[in-house]
Amino acid sequence: MENVKVDEIIKETAASSRASDPYKAAVMPTYGRFDVIFDHGKGAMIWDTKGEAYLDFVSGVAVNALGHGNTEIAKVISEQAAKLMHISNLYWNEPQLKLAKTLIDLSEGVLQDVFFCNSGTEALEGAIKLARKYGKKRGAVKLAHLSHSFHGRTMGALSVTGQEKYQAPFKPLIPEVYEFPANDIEALKALDSSYCGILVEPIQGEGGVNSISDDYLKALRAKCDELDVLLIFDEVQTGIGRLGTFYAFQSTNVKPDVVCLAKGLGCGFPIGAFIASQKASVLVAGDHGSTFGGNPLATAVALKGVELISSPAFLANVQEKSEKIAQKLSALADGHIIKNVKGKGLLIGIELGIDCKSFNTVAFENKLLLIPAGEYVIRVLPPLNVTDEEIDLFFEKLAVILESLKEEKNAK
C-alpha cells in the first residue's frame, strides 16, 4: 500500500463520514479520525456502537492509566460529584490539599509546591511563566528546548516545541526561544546565563519515542547549576508510573527544578499540574491562575489514581509487564517491518521499516488501536494495569497484522 494512497484513504474516509453525518459535521475537523464511534470499555478493551470489540493500546494517549471503566475511579467520581464538584480557588478544598501533599511526598524531597491546572499544555504554559519570572532577577529571558520535542498546542507551549510541522501555520511564535540538539553534550556550550529555563522530555513520546541519555541529562543538570538556569522536566506523557517509577525523573539520576504533569494524573479525568522545587518556587498571589484548576472533583479522582499507581507493588508490575512486551517485540524484529524496539516502561516505540500510517491502518482493521510517533514509529501505550491476557491478545493481533503486511509486500 503506497503511503500517498493511505493518506488519501484516511482523509477521504474522514471527509465522507463527516459530510454524510450532520452530527460529525458539527465538530471542527482538526483531527484525522478513524470512522468509528466508541461507546464503552473495560480495562484495555473498548466497544463501538455496533458492538465490535477493540484492544486499546493507545489509552487516550497515555491518559487512561488504569484502563476503561475502573470501578474505584468511577466510585470516587460519583461520590465527589454528589458532594462538591467545583469551588473557586479563593477558598481551600480538601482533595486539592491532600493531592498536593501526596505529590510532594512522592518526589522524595525534590519538589516543594504544586499549581493545578487542567491539561499538559497548561502545565507547560505555567512552567514557562515561572521560568521567565525566575530569570528576571538577573535579566535572563531566553528559553531552550530540544530538537524533536513536543510540549503542547497553545502558543507558549508550541513555541518551545521542536517540530516545525506544528509551528509553521501559527508563526510568529513567542520570542527568545532557542532549540538545542537532543543528546548533544558539546552543543550545551551555547547555553549561557541569558537563559532562564530549558525544557526536556525524559523520553520524547510524540517525537518518536526518543530517549534522552543519562549522560546528557547529567551534563545538562551541571550546566543549569553553573548558570542558574531552571531545568524543567515535561513528564506529561512519561510521568505517573508510565516509565515504571512514579515520576519519570526517578528513572534517571537527575533531579529537575520543575516537573509538568497531566495525562495519567487524572486516569481519564482532565487535570494537569506543574510542581516547583524550593529554589524555583517564585510565583506569588496574582502571578498565575486557573478557574477550574484543582477543583474538588478533579483532585479527588487524581488522588485515588495516584494512591493506586504509586504503590511499590503496582510500579513493580509496570516494570514486569514492560519487560514482557519489549522482549516479545524484540524477538519479532526482522529488520524489515519491525526494525527496532525502544522506550521504557509502558511507553514503547516500535521502529518500522514501513510508513507507520500503513501499519496503523492494518492494525485498526484488525481491531487493535495504536498511535504513531512520527513517520516510522508506532507507540504502544497500554493501561498501566494491563493484564497478561490483554498482552497475549495484543501479540495475537500483531501476528495477524505482520503476516498481512508481509503478504502485501510480497504481492508487489
Side-chain angles (χ1 to χ4, degrees), residues 7-25:
D7 288 343
E8 288 175 353
I9 289 169
I10 292 173
K11 289 177 182 177
E12 288 174 5
T13 301
S16 173
S17 169
R18 193 168 174 270
S20 62
D21 188 324
Y23 292 95
K24 293 175 183 175

Side-chain angles (χ1 to χ4, degrees), residues 57 61 205-206 209 237 347-348 370-373 377-381:
F57 270 32
V61 194
E206 186 74 25
V209 194
Q237 188 165 155
L347 170 53
I348 298 171
L370 299 169
I371 186 170
V377 176
I378 284 284
R379 268 175 292 181
V380 180
L381 292 167

Side-chain angles (χ1 to χ4, degrees), residues 55 329 332 334 337-338 354 358-368 370 391-410:
L55 181 63
L329 282 174
L332 293 173
D334 57 4
I337 295 177
I338 296 180
I354 62 172
S358 302
F359 185 97
N360 211 27
T361 298
V362 176
F364 180 78
E365 290 169 353
N366 284 276
K367 306 289 192 298
L368 174 60
L370 299 169
I391 292 172
D392 291 343
L393 179 58
F394 166 70
F395 281 101
E396 287 175 21
K397 288 180 176 291
L398 187 59
V400 175
I401 293 161
L402 293 174
E403 185 61 32
S404 174
L405 289 167
K406 286 175 183 175
E407 289 177 359
E408 186 176 299
K409 184 178 180 180
N410 292 334

